[in-house]
Amino acid sequence: MERHIFRFNWYTREIVPYYKAEVMQVHNIATDKKYTRRILEGDESMYLPQPNRKFEHTFYSQRIAHVLGLNYQGLKQKISRG
C-alpha cells in the first residue's frame, strides 16, 4: 500500500501537470479555471486519445488530486468527509 501511495503522489505531482497541459492543448481549453471546472464536474471527454506516445493513461483520482492540490492522504480525507 505504501508503494501505491508513493506512486500516486509522485504521478500527481510530476506527471499530471504535463498531462493537463497536453489536454488543454488538444481540447482547446484556454484557462486553468475552465480545465479545473470540467475536471471537478467529471467531464469524461477531456481524456487524451490513446495510445498517446507522450503519456500513459492517468486516473481521474490523480487529476482531481492535482486540481485540488492534494496528495493521496488529503484526497482520501476529503472524500471521507464528503
Side-chain angles (χ1 to χ4, degrees):
M1 185 64 171
E2 189 174 306
R3 185 175 174 196
H4 169 73
I5 292 170
F6 175 79
R7 184 165 173 82
F8 181 95
N9 289 341
W10 179 85
Y11 218 86
T12 300
R13 185 180 62 248
E14 302 295 330
I15 302 301
V16 175
Y18 297 106
Y19 184 88
K20 173 186 168 184
E22 188 75 9
V23 167
M24 288 177 71
Q25 180 183 10
V26 168
H27 293 285
N28 296 319
I29 300 170
T31 65
D32 284 344
K33 187 175 180 178
K34 188 172 182 180
Y35 173 85
T36 298
R37 182 182 53 78
R38 288 178 67 179
I39 287 293
L40 294 176
E41 289 175 351
D43 186 346
E44 295 184 14
S45 68
M46 290 182 38
Y47 297 114
L48 291 177
Q50 295 298 327
N52 184 307
R53 286 182 235 153
K54 291 183 181 179
F55 299 99
E56 61 186 66
H57 177 73
T58 61
F59 294 102
Y60 182 65
S61 58
Q62 291 167 331
R63 292 190 295 273
I64 288 288
H66 175 72
V67 163
L68 296 176
L70 301 171
N71 62 13
Y72 181 84
Q73 296 297 351
L75 182 63
K76 289 297 179 189
Q77 288 173 356
K78 191 158 203 69
I79 290 170
S80 69
R81 284 187 261 150

